[in-house]
Amino acid sequence: ERCLFQAGKLDESAELRRGLHECCRARLGEDHADTLISKNSLACTLEARGDLEGAEQLHSEVLKAFRAKLGEEHPDTLTSKNNLA
């Protein structure tokens, strides 16, 4: 899917990333690190497609989950803050 993203095939990338996120959420749970990472990847793809509202929503959810799970100063939380900004 990174190949699709890098090639500018953002619709296809978003479709694959959405499916991956749903699979992670179903198998691992909403707050599992892999689920959050997949949600972040989907948010980045939405942002690249110009869906800033959708990207902001997902980035906000990821940040909230990492704050609750890892704390304010954890590197994953800080990366999530950067992605939202």
Side-chain angles (χ1 to χ4, degrees):
E1 77 196 45
R2 291 182 91 178
C3 292
L4 294 172
F5 183 89
Q6 294 297 326
K9 297 178 180 180
L10 300 177
D11 291 337
E12 292 173 62
S13 178
E15 182 179 331
L16 283 176
R17 287 182 172 178
R18 187 171 280 110
L20 175 62
H21 173 64
E22 291 301 322
C23 182
C24 286
R25 190 171 71 182
R27 293 182 183 262
L28 303 172
E30 187 67 40
D31 291 331
H32 190 279
D34 289 342
T35 304
L36 295 173
I37 290 167
S38 71
K39 185 183 275 191
N40 180 72
S41 295
L42 176 57
C44 290
T45 302
L46 294 180
E47 183 178 345
R49 287 176 60 197
D51 180 3
L52 301 182
E53 187 175 311
E56 181 180 352
Q57 177 65 37
L58 294 181
H59 280 308
S60 294
E61 292 171 9
V62 171
L63 177 56
K64 181 180 178 182
F66 275 138
R67 277 181 170 151
K69 185 176 181 125
L70 303 173
E72 197 65 37
E73 300 301 320
H74 189 279
D76 290 342
T77 306
L78 297 174
T79 297
S80 293
K81 282 183 185 181
N82 183 63
N83 290 341
L84 179 58

XYZ file of all heavy atoms in Angstrom:
655
model
N 0.808 -1.198 0.000
C 0.000 0.000 0.000
C 0.847 1.257 0.000
O 0.429 2.274 -0.477
C -1.026 -0.046 1.125
C -0.500 0.233 2.482
C -1.460 -0.204 3.568
O -2.013 -1.295 3.513
O -1.624 0.583 4.484
N 2.045 1.186 0.556
C 2.916 2.355 0.478
C 3.266 2.647 -0.970
O 3.436 3.799 -1.343
C 4.172 2.154 1.305
C 3.893 2.148 2.786
C 5.131 2.003 3.567
N 5.619 3.346 3.838
C 6.681 3.602 4.551
N 7.393 2.633 5.043
N 7.055 4.835 4.775
N 3.399 1.597 -1.769
C 3.683 1.802 -3.186
C 2.545 2.564 -3.846
O 2.784 3.479 -4.629
C 3.901 0.473 -3.892
S 5.402 -0.378 -3.395
N 1.316 2.188 -3.516
C 0.157 2.891 -4.071
C 0.163 4.347 -3.628
O -0.078 5.253 -4.426
C -1.140 2.216 -3.638
C -1.384 0.812 -4.186
C -2.618 0.194 -3.524
C -1.539 0.846 -5.687
N 0.435 4.570 -2.360
C 0.465 5.940 -1.823
C 1.533 6.759 -2.541
O 1.268 7.860 -3.007
C 0.730 5.897 -0.312
C 0.707 7.239 0.344
C -0.484 7.755 0.830
C 1.853 7.989 0.483
C -0.533 9.000 1.441
C 1.828 9.234 1.094
C 0.629 9.734 1.567
N 2.742 6.204 -2.633
C 3.846 6.923 -3.279
C 3.585 7.167 -4.759
O 4.053 8.154 -5.318
C 5.159 6.156 -3.089
C 5.618 6.080 -1.656
C 5.925 7.439 -1.069
O 6.404 8.337 -1.750
N 5.621 7.613 0.205
N 2.836 6.270 -5.391
C 2.510 6.419 -6.815
C 1.347 7.382 -7.039
O 0.964 7.623 -8.178
C 2.185 5.056 -7.421
N 0.788 7.897 -5.953
C -0.325 8.830 -6.085
C -1.668 8.164 -6.279
O -2.657 8.834 -6.581
N -1.727 6.861 -6.087
C -2.992 6.128 -6.216
C -3.690 6.145 -4.855
O -3.810 5.137 -4.165
C -2.724 4.708 -6.694
C -2.088 4.656 -8.068
C -1.791 3.243 -8.490
C -1.157 3.219 -9.883
N -0.856 1.845 -10.300
N -4.125 7.330 -4.488
C -4.606 7.557 -3.124
C -5.940 6.896 -2.829
O -6.179 6.483 -1.689
C -4.663 9.060 -2.851
C -3.315 9.776 -2.986
C -3.491 11.276 -2.767
C -2.287 9.200 -2.043
N -6.792 6.773 -3.829
C -8.067 6.086 -3.596
C -7.832 4.614 -3.276
O -8.426 4.071 -2.348
C -8.999 6.223 -4.803
C -9.504 7.639 -4.992
O -9.515 8.411 -4.015
O -9.888 7.970 -6.133
N -6.956 3.984 -4.049
C -6.644 2.576 -3.806
C -5.936 2.392 -2.465
O -6.213 1.445 -1.730
C -5.780 2.027 -4.936
C -6.495 1.934 -6.268
C -5.539 1.552 -7.380
O -4.968 0.453 -7.309
O -5.371 2.367 -8.311
N -5.023 3.300 -2.166
C -4.313 3.242 -0.891
C -5.278 3.379 0.273
O -5.212 2.625 1.253
C -3.245 4.338 -0.829
O -2.584 4.335 0.406
N -6.197 4.328 0.171
C -7.177 4.541 1.242
C -8.057 3.313 1.431
O -8.348 2.924 2.569
C -8.038 5.771 0.942
N -8.452 2.684 0.335
C -9.289 1.487 0.422
C -8.551 0.361 1.158
O -9.113 -0.290 2.055
C -9.690 1.027 -0.979
C -10.598 -0.177 -0.990
C -10.987 -0.578 -2.406
O -11.039 0.280 -3.300
O -11.235 -1.788 -2.592
N -7.293 0.138 0.816
C -6.507 -0.902 1.480
C -6.270 -0.559 2.953
O -6.391 -1.414 3.829
C -5.177 -1.103 0.771
C -5.213 -1.888 -0.519
C -3.830 -1.928 -1.162
C -5.702 -3.308 -0.272
N -5.941 0.691 3.217
C -5.682 1.096 4.599
C -6.953 1.046 5.450
O -6.893 0.701 6.622
C -5.043 2.475 4.632
C -3.603 2.430 4.173
C -2.915 3.747 4.220
N -1.487 3.551 3.948
C -0.611 4.518 3.884
N -0.979 5.772 4.100
N 0.659 4.266 3.639
N -8.079 1.381 4.856
C -9.343 1.285 5.595
C -9.630 -0.176 5.956
O -10.019 -0.486 7.081
C -10.485 1.880 4.778
C -11.796 1.972 5.548
C -12.847 2.766 4.800
N -12.599 4.195 4.985
C -12.172 5.035 4.029
N -11.953 4.608 2.807
N -11.973 6.306 4.275
N -9.418 -1.082 5.006
C -9.617 -2.503 5.264
C -8.659 -3.035 6.323
O -9.049 -3.814 7.196
N -7.414 -2.606 6.266
C -6.433 -3.019 7.260
C -6.837 -2.530 8.643
O -6.771 -3.279 9.621
C -5.053 -2.475 6.895
C -3.950 -2.719 7.913
C -3.702 -4.203 8.106
C -2.671 -2.014 7.484
N -7.278 -1.281 8.721
C -7.697 -0.740 10.008
C -8.888 -1.520 10.573
O -8.908 -1.855 11.760
C -8.042 0.741 9.901
C -8.629 1.293 11.143
N -7.918 1.362 12.317
C -9.855 1.755 11.422
C -8.695 1.858 13.267
N -9.880 2.107 12.744
N -9.853 -1.818 9.743
C -11.022 -2.577 10.203
C -10.620 -3.966 10.698
O -11.132 -4.448 11.711
C -12.067 -2.684 9.090
C -12.728 -1.363 8.754
C -13.445 -0.734 9.931
O -14.065 -1.467 10.726
O -13.366 0.495 10.073
N -9.699 -4.598 9.991
C -9.216 -5.920 10.396
C -8.492 -5.836 11.737
O -8.735 -6.656 12.630
C -8.298 -6.475 9.313
S -7.684 -8.130 9.664
N -7.615 -4.874 11.887
C -6.893 -4.702 13.159
C -7.861 -4.433 14.298
O -7.732 -5.018 15.381
C -5.895 -3.543 13.054
S -4.427 -3.896 12.083
N -8.820 -3.573 14.047
C -9.788 -3.228 15.099
C -10.594 -4.454 15.514
O -10.798 -4.698 16.705
C -10.712 -2.113 14.620
C -11.574 -1.558 15.735
C -12.302 -0.347 15.312
N -13.334 -0.750 14.362
C -14.135 0.080 13.759
N -14.030 1.374 13.961
N -15.044 -0.358 12.931
N -11.011 -5.250 14.553
C -11.813 -6.435 14.848
C -11.003 -7.503 15.592
O -11.515 -8.157 16.496
C -12.387 -7.016 13.554
N -9.747 -7.663 15.215
C -8.937 -8.742 15.788
C -8.164 -8.331 17.035
O -7.928 -9.156 17.911
C -7.964 -9.277 14.746
C -8.671 -9.986 13.618
C -7.666 -10.560 12.629
N -8.362 -11.178 11.525
C -8.594 -12.478 11.449
N -8.205 -13.275 12.410
N -9.230 -12.973 10.404
N -7.742 -7.061 17.089
C -6.843 -6.635 18.171
C -7.494 -5.687 19.181
O -6.969 -5.524 20.276
C -5.610 -5.941 17.569
C -4.802 -6.773 16.570
C -3.734 -5.922 15.913
C -4.208 -7.990 17.251
N -8.569 -5.051 18.771
C -9.225 -4.077 19.637
C -8.895 -2.653 19.235
O -7.892 -2.394 18.561
N -9.751 -1.739 19.643
C -9.662 -0.335 19.230
C -8.378 0.351 19.694
O -7.834 1.196 18.982
C -10.879 0.429 19.760
C -10.988 1.844 19.267
C -11.254 1.941 17.768
O -12.044 1.140 17.252
O -10.675 2.836 17.122
N -7.873 0.005 20.874
C -6.737 0.727 21.444
C -5.408 -0.009 21.333
O -4.417 0.420 21.921
C -7.023 1.060 22.914
C -8.117 2.100 23.046
O -8.260 2.935 22.131
O -8.829 2.084 24.058
N -5.369 -1.090 20.569
C -4.105 -1.798 20.347
C -3.184 -0.915 19.505
O -3.636 -0.190 18.614
C -4.376 -3.124 19.634
C -3.189 -4.021 19.563
N -2.202 -3.865 18.620
C -2.841 -5.082 20.320
C -1.286 -4.803 18.795
N -1.655 -5.552 19.831
N -1.892 -0.975 19.787
C -0.930 -0.131 19.067
C -1.005 -0.317 17.557
O -0.961 0.664 16.801
C 0.479 -0.404 19.571
N -1.127 -1.560 17.089
C -1.200 -1.792 15.642
C -2.465 -1.199 15.035
O -2.443 -0.699 13.904
C -1.127 -3.285 15.331
C 0.261 -3.877 15.576
O 1.243 -3.106 15.651
O 0.349 -5.109 15.693
N -3.553 -1.231 15.776
C -4.800 -0.623 15.309
C -4.635 0.885 15.201
O -5.053 1.499 14.205
C -5.962 -0.969 16.258
O -6.061 -2.385 16.372
C -7.276 -0.406 15.753
N -4.009 1.478 16.199
C -3.798 2.931 16.183
C -2.856 3.341 15.057
O -3.078 4.358 14.394
C -3.275 3.402 17.536
C -4.249 3.214 18.691
C -3.564 3.542 20.016
C -5.502 4.057 18.506
N -1.829 2.550 14.822
C -0.911 2.846 13.727
C -1.630 2.745 12.383
O -1.430 3.581 11.495
C 0.319 1.915 13.792
C 1.173 2.292 15.004
C 1.131 1.973 12.501
C 2.232 1.276 15.357
N -2.495 1.747 12.237
C -3.238 1.623 10.981
C -4.209 2.789 10.804
O -4.406 3.268 9.684
C -3.966 0.281 10.898
O -5.054 0.212 11.788
N -4.791 3.256 11.905
C -5.686 4.417 11.832
C -4.900 5.665 11.435
O -5.361 6.487 10.641
C -6.380 4.635 13.177
C -7.408 5.749 13.146
C -8.031 5.981 14.509
C -9.177 5.047 14.749
N -9.963 5.430 15.955
N -3.693 5.804 11.976
C -2.845 6.934 11.618
C -2.493 6.900 10.132
O -2.525 7.939 9.459
C -1.575 6.925 12.462
C -0.672 8.072 12.125
O -0.967 9.214 12.446
N 0.433 7.778 11.454
N -2.169 5.719 9.622
C -1.839 5.595 8.197
C -3.027 5.977 7.317
O -2.859 6.658 6.302
C -1.401 4.165 7.877
O -0.204 3.856 8.529
N -4.213 5.552 7.717
C -5.411 5.928 6.976
C -5.608 7.440 7.022
O -5.919 8.060 6.003
C -6.639 5.205 7.543
C -7.984 5.568 6.940
C -8.004 5.356 5.434
C -9.091 4.769 7.622
N -5.393 8.037 8.175
C -5.534 9.489 8.304
C -4.565 10.218 7.375
O -4.941 11.208 6.731
C -5.305 9.917 9.756
N -3.344 9.735 7.289
C -2.360 10.359 6.400
C -2.798 10.269 4.938
O -2.616 11.222 4.167
C -0.994 9.704 6.589
S -0.221 10.079 8.167
N -3.391 9.142 4.572
C -3.876 8.988 3.204
C -5.053 9.914 2.939
O -5.132 10.550 1.883
C -4.271 7.524 2.929
O -3.132 6.700 3.153
C -4.745 7.337 1.502
N -5.964 10.015 3.901
C -7.093 10.936 3.732
C -6.598 12.371 3.582
O -7.106 13.134 2.751
C -8.051 10.827 4.923
C -8.786 9.499 5.080
C -9.697 9.553 6.305
C -9.571 9.130 3.841
N -5.604 12.725 4.375
C -5.029 14.070 4.284
C -4.451 14.315 2.895
O -4.688 15.366 2.289
C -3.945 14.222 5.341
C -3.323 15.596 5.395
C -2.294 15.714 6.498
O -2.236 14.855 7.399
O -1.539 16.696 6.450
N -3.714 13.350 2.375
C -3.127 13.492 1.045
C -4.196 13.598 -0.040
O -3.982 14.274 -1.059
C -2.195 12.309 0.755
N -5.341 12.962 0.172
C -6.458 13.031 -0.774
C -7.217 14.349 -0.678
O -8.082 14.629 -1.491
C -7.446 11.895 -0.526
C -6.962 10.548 -0.952
C -7.931 9.455 -0.590
N -9.219 9.643 -1.212
C -10.338 9.028 -0.829
N -10.331 8.199 0.178
N -11.458 9.244 -1.449
N -6.932 15.135 0.360
C -7.621 16.405 0.541
C -8.792 16.334 1.489
O -9.506 17.322 1.676
N -9.020 15.189 2.116
C -10.094 15.035 3.102
C -9.560 15.446 4.471
O -9.292 14.615 5.334
C -10.606 13.599 3.113
C -11.736 13.372 4.112
O -12.169 14.345 4.773
O -12.177 12.209 4.241
N -9.398 16.742 4.653
C -8.794 17.247 5.883
C -9.679 17.023 7.093
O -9.169 16.747 8.191
C -8.447 18.724 5.718
C -7.485 19.051 4.576
C -7.178 20.537 4.545
C -6.221 18.223 4.661
N -10.967 17.099 6.916
C -11.883 16.865 8.030
C -11.792 15.416 8.513
O -11.710 15.155 9.720
C -13.321 17.187 7.612
C -14.313 17.134 8.744
C -15.699 17.572 8.302
O -15.812 18.634 7.664
O -16.652 16.830 8.593
N -11.802 14.479 7.578
C -11.674 13.072 7.939
C -10.325 12.774 8.575
O -10.238 12.035 9.559
N -9.267 13.346 8.013
C -7.919 13.146 8.557
C -7.815 13.721 9.969
O -7.267 13.075 10.865
C -6.888 13.794 7.646
N -8.361 14.907 10.168
C -8.304 15.524 11.493
C -9.027 14.673 12.530
O -8.531 14.486 13.649
C -8.918 16.921 11.450
C -8.872 17.627 12.788
C -9.483 19.016 12.760
O -9.813 19.526 11.671
O -9.638 19.594 13.846
N -10.176 14.142 12.165
C -10.936 13.304 13.087
C -10.125 12.083 13.510
O -10.022 11.767 14.691
C -12.255 12.866 12.443
C -13.076 11.920 13.298
C -13.581 12.559 14.581
O -13.928 13.722 14.599
N -13.593 11.791 15.662
N -9.551 11.391 12.533
C -8.779 10.187 12.841
C -7.513 10.513 13.627
O -7.179 9.824 14.598
C -8.438 9.424 11.568
C -9.609 8.816 10.804
C -9.111 8.062 9.579
C -10.436 7.903 11.683
N -6.800 11.559 13.234
C -5.598 11.954 13.970
C -5.947 12.315 15.420
O -5.205 11.977 16.342
C -4.898 13.140 13.295
C -4.049 12.769 12.122
N -3.078 11.785 12.157
C -4.005 13.277 10.862
C -2.486 11.705 10.982
N -3.027 12.597 10.176
N -7.071 12.980 15.616
C -7.507 13.331 16.977
C -7.797 12.088 17.802
O -7.436 12.015 18.987
C -8.754 14.221 16.934
O -8.457 15.458 16.363
N -8.437 11.108 17.197
C -8.747 9.854 17.899
C -7.471 9.108 18.280
O -7.366 8.568 19.387
C -9.639 8.968 17.029
C -11.037 9.515 16.828
C -11.848 8.749 15.800
O -11.383 7.669 15.347
O -12.933 9.230 15.449
N -6.516 9.084 17.364
C -5.245 8.413 17.645
C -4.522 9.122 18.787
O -4.023 8.483 19.721
C -4.360 8.342 16.375
C -2.961 7.852 16.707
C -4.995 7.449 15.327
N -4.467 10.434 18.731
C -3.805 11.199 19.786
C -4.462 10.952 21.140
O -3.776 10.705 22.141
C -3.812 12.695 19.453
C -3.218 13.617 20.514
C -1.787 13.231 20.858
C -3.314 15.067 20.046
N -5.765 10.983 21.188
C -6.486 10.745 22.440
C -6.154 9.362 23.003
O -5.907 9.211 24.205
C -7.990 10.885 22.211
C -8.820 10.682 23.448
C -10.301 10.836 23.147
C -11.128 10.568 24.393
N -12.560 10.655 24.120
N -6.137 8.357 22.146
C -5.853 6.987 22.592
C -4.419 6.849 23.087
O -4.174 6.228 24.131
C -6.133 5.998 21.467
N -3.459 7.427 22.361
C -2.068 7.339 22.802
C -1.853 8.102 24.108
O -1.100 7.648 24.972
C -1.111 7.841 21.727
C -0.735 6.803 20.697
C -0.672 7.136 19.361
C -0.425 5.503 21.067
C -0.307 6.189 18.405
C -0.067 4.545 20.124
C -0.010 4.890 18.789
N -2.493 9.249 24.262
C -2.386 9.979 25.533
C -2.864 9.131 26.697
O -2.212 9.066 27.736
C -3.211 11.263 25.480
C -2.552 12.418 24.832
C -3.458 13.635 24.872
N -2.754 14.818 24.450
C -3.326 15.847 23.864
N -4.629 15.843 23.630
N -2.609 16.881 23.517
N -4.008 8.497 26.517
C -4.592 7.684 27.586
C -3.746 6.443 27.866
O -3.586 6.048 29.023
C -6.018 7.273 27.212
N -3.211 5.849 26.819
C -2.494 4.585 26.955
C -1.035 4.774 27.351
O -0.503 4.004 28.149
C -2.584 3.827 25.627
C -1.996 2.460 25.635
C -2.241 1.767 24.297
C -1.657 0.385 24.347
N -2.585 -0.656 24.038
N -0.386 5.799 26.790
C 1.066 5.923 26.922
C 1.535 7.163 27.680
O 2.707 7.237 28.039
C 1.698 5.932 25.525
C 1.380 4.727 24.640
C 1.931 4.942 23.245
C 1.928 3.456 25.262
N 0.657 8.129 27.845
C 1.055 9.363 28.516
C 1.436 10.454 27.532
O 1.645 10.217 26.341
N 1.540 11.645 28.069
C 1.734 12.850 27.261
C 3.104 12.928 26.578
O 3.222 13.489 25.491
C 1.542 14.077 28.156
C 1.322 15.354 27.425
C 0.025 15.397 26.633
O -0.988 14.859 27.097
O 0.040 15.985 25.543
N 4.141 12.373 27.200
C 5.504 12.550 26.689
C 6.047 11.353 25.900
O 7.195 11.385 25.454
C 6.449 12.856 27.860
C 6.070 14.118 28.626
C 6.050 15.361 27.756
O 6.945 15.503 26.893
O 5.125 16.181 27.921
N 5.235 10.323 25.721
C 5.698 9.143 24.973
C 5.936 9.527 23.508
O 5.192 10.343 22.942
C 4.657 8.025 25.072
C 5.133 6.728 24.533
N 5.121 6.436 23.186
C 5.657 5.644 25.158
C 5.606 5.217 23.002
N 5.935 4.721 24.182
N 6.955 8.958 22.875
C 7.238 9.290 21.471
C 6.049 9.083 20.525
O 5.857 9.888 19.604
C 8.389 8.354 21.105
C 9.088 8.104 22.402
C 7.986 8.084 23.446
N 5.250 8.043 20.739
C 4.073 7.836 19.869
C 3.029 8.929 20.062
O 2.387 9.357 19.089
C 3.446 6.468 20.118
C 4.308 5.320 19.611
O 5.205 5.558 18.780
O 4.084 4.185 20.063
N 2.885 9.402 21.293
C 1.968 10.512 21.560
C 2.467 11.779 20.900
O 1.686 12.519 20.276
C 1.804 10.728 23.079
O 1.409 9.502 23.692
C 0.783 11.808 23.376
N 3.757 12.027 21.011
C 4.334 13.219 20.404
C 4.243 13.190 18.878
O 3.925 14.210 18.252
C 5.791 13.375 20.846
C 6.002 13.575 22.338
C 7.487 13.568 22.683
C 5.336 14.852 22.827
N 4.433 12.018 18.296
C 4.264 11.879 16.842
C 2.821 12.148 16.446
O 2.562 12.824 15.432
C 4.695 10.465 16.390
O 6.075 10.292 16.672
C 4.443 10.262 14.910
N 1.893 11.665 17.250
C 0.474 11.903 16.965
C 0.130 13.386 17.047
O -0.651 13.891 16.237
C -0.398 11.119 17.937
O -0.252 9.739 17.715
N 0.702 14.068 18.011
C 0.506 15.534 18.104
C 1.016 16.203 16.840
O 0.352 17.089 16.286
C 1.264 16.104 19.309
C 0.618 15.886 20.617
C 1.465 16.591 21.688
C 0.963 16.325 23.069
N 1.762 17.030 24.088
N 2.182 15.799 16.403
C 2.769 16.374 15.187
C 1.883 16.106 13.982
O 1.670 16.993 13.150
C 4.167 15.797 14.969
C 4.837 16.411 13.775
O 5.095 17.603 13.747
N 5.120 15.595 12.772
N 1.357 14.893 13.864
C 0.494 14.555 12.721
C -0.775 15.391 12.726
O -1.251 15.802 11.660
C 0.148 13.072 12.746
C 1.325 12.192 12.431
O 2.326 12.635 11.861
N 1.240 10.936 12.815
N -1.326 15.642 13.898
C -2.541 16.452 13.981
C -2.253 17.914 13.650
O -3.072 18.569 13.006
C -3.166 16.334 15.375
C -4.429 17.127 15.627
C -5.539 16.747 14.636
C -4.903 16.906 17.059
N -1.097 18.389 14.075
C -0.737 19.793 13.833
C -0.565 20.058 12.350
O -0.881 21.095 11.848
C 0.538 20.150 14.572
